């Protein structure tokens, strides 16, 4: 009976919140498989079987924020803080260039200062010179002013990731301190600014947070659709012992359930938003050693080998049990180990822009032209 209902919902052009809640509640293997298969079919049809690479540089773990879930929050005194030297950033960029990754992500804690803004601008320019403008660069450096985002865009960063963490404002409040540094509306405004400037914009959230419901998760999916997002990075919440949210660990779903819920969210996201880029995030591997590969099989099309020099790596722990299975020097073994990659191929040499972004921009341009003609 439920199988027929699942098939019917999957074949609709789009799904309501109620439909999504219904689909998120399945743990039965055969029923889940129906949903995974639909996601795979859509992925093949709309974006093909290429997995794009993004070399990840965890540039600095210095962070002004105090998010209750995050291992590098300002108040965690157990962390040794670092910022990678320019020379090491350039070495990592050169590695990505030489190994044909075609794309880089520069990620850091949130630092708001003129010096930081200038530093990122300067690194962007140096990377582009060194790699002959051949790398697409994504930044993930938190909430910044419109002016800073614009400066970085002009310096050659054309993609930006800023997770909303939870689209439910009241849940957002529960997992962040209640002050102006951690304000949901400001974060949302930052996402709009990124869009206004012309970035390919990515966002996402954590799955399996304490007190999060399947209704919240359905809303998270609808938020991505409503915002018309180009790229998504989302993953399971994984507790970190040196954070306040660790106190709520007994309220969590089991790791197995959180993992399955995350995979289901990947599948439903692909079914709802057919042509966006979806990263297979590292946190998946913290719950299941095959997590990222499974997500790539079912729905995602972006893999981020870590390029952070190993001497810094151990201090960039956002959650416990951070896997290091995919440091860049192990990529070749990784591909070899998961040889089949479920019929997908690695897109060496391909920047892999979000197809959704191009369609969105094209639509915007034609609408503006049409409005001009009519007025
Ligand atoms: N579990 C899972 N993801 C986390 N992040 C931070 N802390 C955790 C955690 N404990 C995610 C947040 C942040 C991104 C860099 O890492 O979503 O935006």
């Amino acid at each position: 009976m439920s199988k027929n209902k699942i098939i019917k919902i999957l074949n609709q052009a789009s799904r309501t919140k109620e439909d999504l809640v219904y689909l998120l509640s399945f743990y039965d293997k055969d029923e889940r498989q129906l949903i995974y298969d639909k996601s795979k079919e859509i992925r093949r049809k709309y974006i093909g079987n290429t997995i794009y690479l993004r070399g990840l540089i965890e540039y600095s773990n210095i962070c002004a924020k105090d998010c209750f879930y995050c291992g590098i929050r300002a108040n965690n005194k157990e962390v040794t803080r670092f910022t990678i030297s320019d020379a090491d950033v350039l070495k990592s960029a050169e590695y990505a260039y030489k190994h044909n990754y075609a794309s880089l992500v520069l990620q850091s804690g949130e630092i708001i200062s003129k010096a930081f803004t200038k530093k990122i601008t300067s690194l962007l320019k140096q990377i582009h010179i060194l790699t002959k403008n051949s790398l697409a660069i994504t930044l993930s450096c938190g909430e910044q002013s419109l002016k800073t985002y614009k400066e970085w865009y002009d310096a050659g960063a054309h993609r930006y990731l800023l997770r909303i963490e939870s689209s439910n404002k009241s849940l957002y409040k529960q997992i962040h301190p209640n002050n102006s540094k951690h304000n949901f509306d400001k974060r949302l405004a930052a996402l709009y600014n990124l869009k206004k400037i012309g970035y390919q914009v990515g966002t996402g959230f954590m799955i399996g947070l304490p007190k999060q419901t399947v209704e919240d998760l359905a809303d998270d999916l609808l938020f991505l659709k409503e915002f018309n997002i180009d790229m998504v990075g989302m993953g399971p919440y994984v507790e970190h012992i040196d954070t306040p949210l660790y106190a709520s660990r007994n309220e969590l779903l089991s790791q197995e359930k959180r993992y399955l819920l995350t995979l289901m969210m990947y599948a439903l996201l692909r079914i709802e938003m057919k042509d966006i880029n979806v990263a297979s995030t590292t946190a998946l591997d913290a719950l299941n050693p095959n997590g990222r590969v499974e997500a790539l099989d079912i729905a995602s099309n972006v893999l981020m080998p870590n390029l952070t020099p190993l001497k810094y790596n151990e201090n960039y722990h956002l959650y416990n049990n951070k896997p290091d299975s995919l440091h860049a020097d192990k990529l070749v073994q990784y591909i070899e180990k998961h040889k089949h990659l479920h019929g997908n191929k690695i897109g060496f040499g391909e920047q892999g822009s979000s197809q959704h972004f191009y369609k969105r921009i094209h639509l915007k341009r034609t609408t503006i032209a049409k409005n001009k003609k009519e007025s």
Side-chain angles (χ1 to χ4, degrees), residues 66-69 166 168-178 182 184 209-213 216 244-245 248 251:
D66 230 354
C67 308
F68 293 154
Y69 45 84
S166 167
N168 176 335
K169 207 166 160 172
S170 104
L171 182 57
Y172 187 93
K173 271 194 184 156
Q174 289 173 50
I175 59 172
H176 296 100
N178 188 11
H182 303 81
F184 179 87
L209 286 160
K211 304 210 164 45
Q212 189 180 43
T213 62
D216 290 331
L245 215 56
S248 308
E251 294 173 34

Side-chain angles (χ1 to χ4, degrees), residues 207-235:
I207 297 158
L209 286 160
K211 304 210 164 45
Q212 189 180 43
T213 62
V214 275
E215 283 77 12
D216 290 331
L217 290 171
D219 279 334
D220 284 341
L221 289 171
L222 294 174
F223 168 83
L224 298 176
K225 222 174 151 184
E226 172 76 23
F227 189 84
N228 208 2
I229 203 74
D230 305 308
M231 328 185 281
V232 170
M234 64 183 184

Side-chain angles (χ1 to χ4, degrees), residues 202 221 311 366:
L221 289 171
K311 62 180 168 188
T366 44

Side-chain angles (χ1 to χ4, degrees), residues 66-135:
D66 230 354
C67 308
F68 293 154
Y69 45 84
C70 183
I72 63 165
R73 65 197 299 268
N75 259 315
N76 183 4
K77 306 285 183 252
E78 303 297 316
V79 180
T80 310
R81 304 287 166 174
F82 71 83
T83 299
I84 301 188
S85 67
D86 287 15
D88 280 342
V89 171
L90 293 175
K91 250 192 238 161
S92 294
E94 193 172 29
Y95 184 100
Y97 175 57
K98 291 212 165 124
H99 290 80
N100 230 355
Y101 280 23
S103 180
L104 265 191
V105 178
L106 212 56
Q107 185 181 62
S108 77
E110 199 167 296
I111 308 165
I112 299 175
S113 73
K114 273 200 179 129
F116 182 73
T117 303
K118 295 256 158 318
K119 172 58 83 181
I120 296 292
T121 302
S122 145
L123 284 171
L124 288 168
K125 288 182 178 163
Q126 292 181 70
I127 292 171
H128 279 312
I129 291 170
L130 180 74
T131 61
K132 305 191 173 46
N133 276 318
S134 67
L135 296 182

Side-chain angles (χ1 to χ4, degrees), residues 69-70 107 163 165 206 236-238 318-319:
Y69 45 84
C70 183
Q107 185 181 62
R163 288 192 183 179
E165 312 297 359
M206 285 170 287
Y237 164 66
V238 185
L318 308 178
Y319 42 83

